[in-house]
Amino acid sequence: MVKIGIMSFAHMHAYSYAACLKQLPNTTLGAVWGENPRRAKAAAKQFDTQYIRDINDFLEADIDGVIICSENVKHRAMVDVAASAGKWVLCEKPLAPKPAEARRMIRICNRAKVGLGTAFPCRYSPALIEARKQIQGGEFGDILAASCTNHGQFPGGWFADESLAGGGATMDHTVHVVDLLRWMLGREFTSVYCELGNQLHPEEISTDDLGSLHLEMEGGIQVSHLASWSRPKSFPTWGDVTIEFIGTQGVLNVDAFNQKVDVYSDAAMKTEWAYWGSNIDLGLVADFAKSIEEEREPSITGEDGLRAVEVTAAAYKSARTGKRVEI
Amino acid sequence: MNVAIVGCSGMGRLHAEMIARCGLNIVVCADANAEAAEALAATCGAEVSTQGKRALARKDVDIVLIATPTPFHLEYILAAAKAKKDIFCEKPFCRTVDECKKAIAAAKAAKVKLFVGHVVRYFQEFETLRAQIAEGKIGEPGFAKIYRGGIFPGGGKSWFANYKMSGGVTLDCMIHDLDWIRYVFGEPKRIFGQALMRGGDDPMDYAQVTMRMKNGLIATVIGTWAHPSGFRVKAEVCGSGGMVHFDSADAPLRAQKRDSASGPNMIVPGSPVAESPYELEWREFIAWLEGGPAPRVNAHDGLKAVQMAEAALTSIQTGHPVRL
């Protein structure tokens, strides 16, 4: 039985990971800690596990690994103490707002001889796995260009507080797609140009709520990506992950979460999409548990997290300087 | 009023139908390719010419429709202006901004009317998007994305595959959306673009362009001539209070026919309307000639659209953003 703890429920994904730990065989949610005691205590109660108030007591508890779901800027410090306590670490994305911090996290985990994984669950999406298989099987020839989106509704709270998130929608919604393209095409990003917008929630936030990125990958692959919190409250779902691949032998469109039932409910007075596709978090959490069992790195590594953060940081630099930035 | 058609391939044929619907008389169809001229002339009882400039200068011609490949627009506009004919020029206005300026100057000097057919301004779906935005349904708009395109027009042997002539999907097709974005959201500040512009027997172009408008709005436009088949348009605009979205794949008609002798046969989604947007632009143009109000798009708009496309092409070439 692999015992995993959760550090912080600041990021809502923590609730899904907790549910996965309860659902998977041979894993348990061993303990819960959080900087916000009320929230962590409530979560412990919800998932029927122990809440440990003191972080040192938590790290001394009988757990093999931790999943860190704090605000982005707090990732590094938490990885630091968890790794020093000999725990395997799965860290929510983005690994850290700044590449230098991400590099430090990787070094700390290496030194402590613990595995470090980045939470990029989209790699466990059956639609994206199938797309990768077809692309790598050469069914679309050489991929020349891609046009991507990762739109979302405005999450509110710390996500739009630069001192906690390190940025806005572009920080939040760029790394998934960057990681997917690296994983699917086996190439690294070489440059980025970025326009940042903040017109969609002018009253509420000062960070960006839209990033329009134009990137290049090794071999000259041309990529555009839209990262946003542009979906209105009345939108039928949280958002999307879409990619159009242009290959020499054809075009492949992926709309990763487009498995849904339309729901028209007078109680809601808006159309809603009930998702029936697979739970991608399950694969991510299962791999993390297995990496602990097998004492190996998680499949999606800290290095993968760093690569994505490097692209995001370069995008912000581009928006600041008005220039294309080499990565 | 009598019309001379110069350029008798796809767009020339489409406009001929609209001209007839508007009750105008087509007197001559001209094309360097005699077969194309003959084929179109036969459908409208017009005379045939392989000499465009001679045809448009005929005494009985009042209006010249220019639907040739883009790089020839200027010379026919100059010839038509010299012959004192009013001009309906298919988009893109000209290949370069300099050519657009010469065309405008010539029309002004000759006191003839010059119209540029940015037909997307007449499309019902785009007018509906514009109206919803104007009514404040989405609050203050902050972001727009338009996607347009499909199969490469005419394959590897067509003039579109000569990027020097056509400017690729960016100048020839995306220009619709660059114009519409400027129409609705005002002037652009800077442009960044990427495009494939692959030549050879199997040409492909795929352009991805982002504009920062002077009012702060960000517009990202994708133009494709990289698809194996079909044609699709998608548009969305997001604002502080909502979002509007259109996808041509959502259409009232969708048909699929059984395989025929010539191979699998598919009819793409169809969205028929009582009044074709091409007919609407002709009606506005004709009303203007008859002393009515100026059309919603003018030659200066056509020039600005070429300027945006040229800036995008410069960015595509240099890899750097271009300020306008």
Side-chain angles (χ1 to χ4, degrees):
Chain A
M1 186 65 79
V2 181
K3 295 178 271 308
I4 293 170
I6 290 182
M7 295 179 78
S8 176
F9 281 76
H11 199 298
M12 56 279 199
H13 288 169
Y15 296 89
S16 171
Y17 301 146
C20 291
L21 288 169
K22 303 286 287 186
Q23 189 182 332
L24 287 165
N26 306 320
T27 66
T28 58
L29 175 55
V32 157
W33 171 86
E35 283 186 318
N36 178 334
R38 251 181 70 184
R39 185 169 58 200
K41 215 178 204 168
K45 198 175 167 203
Q46 180 185 341
F47 294 103
D48 190 25
T49 188
Q50 59 171 326
Y51 160 71
I52 303 178
R53 191 181 194 99
D54 184 88
I55 190 167
N56 294 314
D57 295 342
F58 170 81
L59 291 169
E60 277 167 24
D62 181 21
I63 48 174
D64 310 303
V66 296
I67 302 177
I68 296 172
C69 291
S70 61
E71 298 88 342
N72 300 343
V73 300
K74 297 179 182 170
H75 286 176
R76 192 199 54 74
M78 289 189 194
V79 169
D80 203 337
V81 293
S84 302
K87 310 297 182 194
W88 249 240
V89 178
L90 176 62
C91 184
E92 182 54 42
K93 63 87 216 173
L95 196 51
K98 295 197 174 79
E101 294 168 319
R103 279 187 208 107
R104 211 192 122 151
M105 290 154 75
I106 292 167
R107 265 203 315 275
I108 287 165
C109 290
N110 279 341
R111 216 173 291 151
K113 296 193 167 58
V114 298
L116 170 62
T118 309
F120 286 137
C122 289
R123 287 204 200 185
Y124 294 94
S125 151
L128 287 158
I129 290 168
E130 177 62 24
R132 178 177 186 254
K133 196 172 112 193
Q134 292 189 15
I135 287 169
Q136 296 196 340
E139 302 211 16
F140 301 93
D142 297 328
I143 299 300
L144 305 173
S147 153
C148 319
T149 66
N150 185 3
H151 291 305
Q153 290 172 318
F154 176 48
W158 65 265
F159 283 90
D161 180 344
E162 196 170 354
S163 66
L164 291 171
T170 307
M171 180 62 67
D172 192 26
H173 278 182
T174 300
V175 289
H176 280 302
V177 165
V178 162
D179 180 66
L180 285 170
L181 290 177
R182 290 183 59 244
W183 174 64
M184 296 169 96
L185 303 178
R187 311 277 182 105
E188 296 296 344
F189 284 88
T190 55
S191 74
V192 60
Y193 176 81
C194 175
E195 290 280 356
L196 291 183
N198 61 354
Q199 296 102 304
L200 303 176
H201 310 86
E203 309 296 319
E204 297 143 280
I205 61 172
S206 57
T207 60
D208 58 290
D209 49 27
L210 173 87
S212 180
L213 286 71
H214 289 264
L215 309 116
E216 204 161 293
M217 299 180 85
E218 290 167 332
I221 300 172
Q222 298 172 357
V223 178
S224 77
H225 173 60
L226 290 165
S228 86
W229 295 328
S230 63
R231 271 35 195 165
K233 290 190 273 287
S234 49
F235 199 72
T237 192
W238 59 269
D240 66 27
V241 171
T242 75
I243 310 175
E244 173 165 281
F245 290 100
I246 303 296
T248 52
Q249 300 303 317
V251 175
L252 176 65
N253 281 93
V254 191
D255 186 352
F257 299 100
N258 190 17
Q259 291 170 307
K260 88 264 184 190
V261 165
D262 298 330
V263 181
Y264 306 94
S265 163
D266 288 343
M269 276 315 279
K270 71 165 195 176
T271 307
E272 289 174 306
W273 290 342
Y275 177 69
W276 53 260
S278 306
N279 177 2
I280 60 173
D281 289 345
L282 265 181
L284 177 82
V285 174
D287 176 76
F288 179 56
K290 215 159 177 210
S291 78
I292 296 172
E293 215 167 46
E294 295 170 358
E295 292 189 37
R296 60 161 171 86
E297 282 278 307
S299 298
I300 308 166
T301 63
E303 205 70 44
D304 291 321
L306 168 63
R307 290 285 99 82
V309 165
E310 284 170 342
V311 174
T312 311
Y316 276 94
K317 189 178 170 195
S318 168
R320 264 198 318 275
T321 59
K323 292 184 173 140
R324 191 184 63 174
V325 172
E326 310 294 326
I327 298 162
Chain B
M1 280 187 285
N2 292 332
V3 182
I5 294 180
V6 182
C8 298
S9 47
M11 289 314 294
R13 284 199 298 273
L14 177 61
H15 281 296
E17 199 186 320
M18 302 303 141
I19 292 164
R21 272 196 218 171
C22 292
L24 303 186
N25 187 30
I26 301 167
V27 290
V28 58
C29 294
D31 199 302
N33 174 349
E35 273 179 41
E38 278 160 18
L40 182 57
T43 66
C44 50
E47 287 179 37
V48 176
S49 170
T50 54
Q51 306 290 320
K53 280 172 212 156
R54 201 175 301 164
L56 65 81
R58 284 166 48 138
K59 261 214 174 93
D60 58 347
V61 166
D62 305 300
I63 299 167
V64 178
L65 163 71
I66 299 170
T68 62
T70 313
F72 303 111
H73 285 186
L74 177 63
E75 57 186 90
Y76 288 112
I77 291 171
L78 296 181
K82 200 174 156 202
K84 304 280 178 198
K85 314 295 187 191
D86 292 318
I87 303 159
F88 185 122
C89 182
E90 181 49 39
K91 54 88 321 233
F93 185 7
C94 290
R95 181 62 183 81
T96 66
V97 170
D98 277 350
E99 289 180 0
C100 294
K101 285 180 183 163
K102 283 180 189 148
I104 289 173
K108 199 177 166 194
K111 294 195 171 71
V112 300
K113 286 181 167 147
L114 170 60
F115 176 82
V116 180
H118 277 288
V119 72
V120 167
R121 293 193 185 199
Y122 296 84
F123 268 73
Q124 286 86 353
E125 57 271 46
F126 278 88
E127 276 297 87
T128 304
L129 290 170
R130 197 169 73 90
Q132 293 290 316
I133 295 164
E135 280 173 31
K137 291 282 176 62
I138 65 165
E140 202 56 48
F143 157 62
K145 182 184 178 187
I146 308 183
Y147 177 102
R148 178 185 303 275
I151 194 168
F152 199 98
K157 296 215 164 51
S158 84
W159 70 273
F160 294 105
N162 180 337
Y163 294 119
K164 255 198 182 134
M165 287 181 77
S166 71
V169 75
T170 309
L171 182 82
D172 195 76
C173 181
M174 183 186 282
I175 198 164
H176 282 299
D177 305 307
L178 300 177
D179 172 65
W180 190 81
I181 287 162
R182 179 178 162 271
Y183 180 42
V184 180
F185 305 113
E187 298 296 332
K189 190 156 81 178
R190 56 178 177 265
I191 289 192
F192 187 90
Q194 299 168 289
L196 294 179
M197 301 181 92
R198 274 167 67 99
D201 290 340
D202 197 13
M204 286 173 68
D205 197 9
Y206 190 79
Q208 313 191 76
V209 170
T210 290
M211 287 196 290
R212 188 66 177 235
M213 311 308 283
K214 283 194 172 136
N215 71 2
L217 179 130
I218 295 171
T220 295
V221 195
I222 314 281
T224 175
W225 281 349
H227 279 59
S229 64
F231 185 80
R232 190 170 180 185
V233 178
K234 291 184 279 184
E236 75 177 47
V237 183
C238 299
S240 55
M243 153 178 180
V244 282
H245 172 257
F246 165 79
D247 184 345
S248 65
D250 266 333
L253 289 181
R254 195 167 53 197
Q256 221 177 333
K257 287 193 172 172
R258 289 209 179 278
D259 290 4
S260 65
S262 58
N265 211 334
M266 205 185 87
I267 295 175
V268 292
S271 195
V273 280
E275 278 183 300
S276 158
Y278 295 91
E279 186 181 336
L280 290 174
E281 64 175 348
W282 270 99
R283 291 204 182 279
E284 253 189 35
F285 174 61
I286 294 164
W288 184 38
L289 299 190
E290 289 171 344
R296 69 192 76 175
V297 56
N298 59 37
H300 177 71
D301 298 321
L303 176 149
K304 289 302 243 183
V306 171
Q307 187 181 55
M308 290 150 85
E310 258 194 336
L313 286 168
T314 302
S315 173
I316 286 161
Q317 239 163 28
T318 62
H320 299 295
V322 172
R323 287 180 180 279
L324 287 148

